[in-house]
Amino acid sequence: MSLQAKLMDVMKDAMRSKDTVALEALRAIKSELLLAQTSTGSKEEISEADEIKILQRLVKMRKDSAEIFTTQNRPDLAEPELAQIAVIEQFLPAQLSEAEVEAIVAKIIAETGASGIASMGKVMGLASAEIGGQAEGKTISAIVKKLLV
């Protein structure tokens, strides 16, 4: 089942249960997917990798907003953002733990023979391609830095 079909099913359930927070997050996903699909000018569906990138971007936006609201002592605004993150994350692939990401990065470093911070870009590119949406870029970057230094 495609992401858009799953999205519509979950959206219908949210409408029936009058879950406004979930509905807002689902509508945001639908909107971003439609914008991405129409921006290319084609009627074809966007790739799964692009869908994952869109979902990750939406989660990151909400995490940043929740962090700002929390630092400004506005838990009333942070809570809906955190609830929306949970709704969006159900459409993302299962996230890898830091230990799993570290093992993958260590394997890539061993295969490429990379050493020093100068080869971080090469390792990041390979790691991001292999992990593909199963970990945040910030996490991957921190682990690559730690292993290359």
Side-chain angles (χ1 to χ4, degrees), residues 82-102:
L82 296 172
Q84 287 184 23
I85 290 171
V87 172
I88 296 169
E89 284 181 338
Q90 72 185 1
F91 296 102
L92 284 169
Q95 299 293 296
L96 297 174
S97 69
E98 284 194 30
E100 292 169 321
V101 173
E102 192 167 332

Side-chain angles (χ1 to χ4, degrees), residues 49 52-53 56 93-96 126-135 140:
I52 290 171
K53 286 178 186 175
Q56 286 177 325
Q95 299 293 296
L96 297 174
L126 293 170
S128 295
E130 187 169 329
I131 294 171
Q134 296 177 327
I140 298 170

Side-chain angles (χ1 to χ4, degrees), residues 13-25:
D13 292 339
M15 284 181 192
R16 286 185 193 111
S17 64
K18 296 182 178 19
D19 187 351
T20 56
V21 174
L23 204 51
E24 187 176 338

Side-chain angles (χ1 to χ4, degrees), residues 68-86:
I68 290 168
F69 293 143
T70 303
T71 58
Q72 293 178 347
N73 200 21
R74 294 294 308 265
D76 58 317
L77 296 175
E79 287 175 20
E81 296 292 327
L82 296 172
Q84 287 184 23
I85 290 171

Side-chain angles (χ1 to χ4, degrees), residues 39-69:
S39 70
T40 60
S42 67
K43 300 230 185 238
E44 298 175 18
E45 288 194 23
I46 56 177
S47 69
E48 188 175 335
D50 289 338
E51 289 174 344
I52 290 171
K53 286 178 186 175
I54 290 169
L55 292 173
Q56 286 177 325
R57 188 174 71 238
L58 289 171
V59 168
K60 184 180 182 321
M61 286 172 28
R62 278 157 183 74
K63 280 183 181 177
D64 292 345
S65 296
E67 186 177 312
I68 290 168
F69 293 143

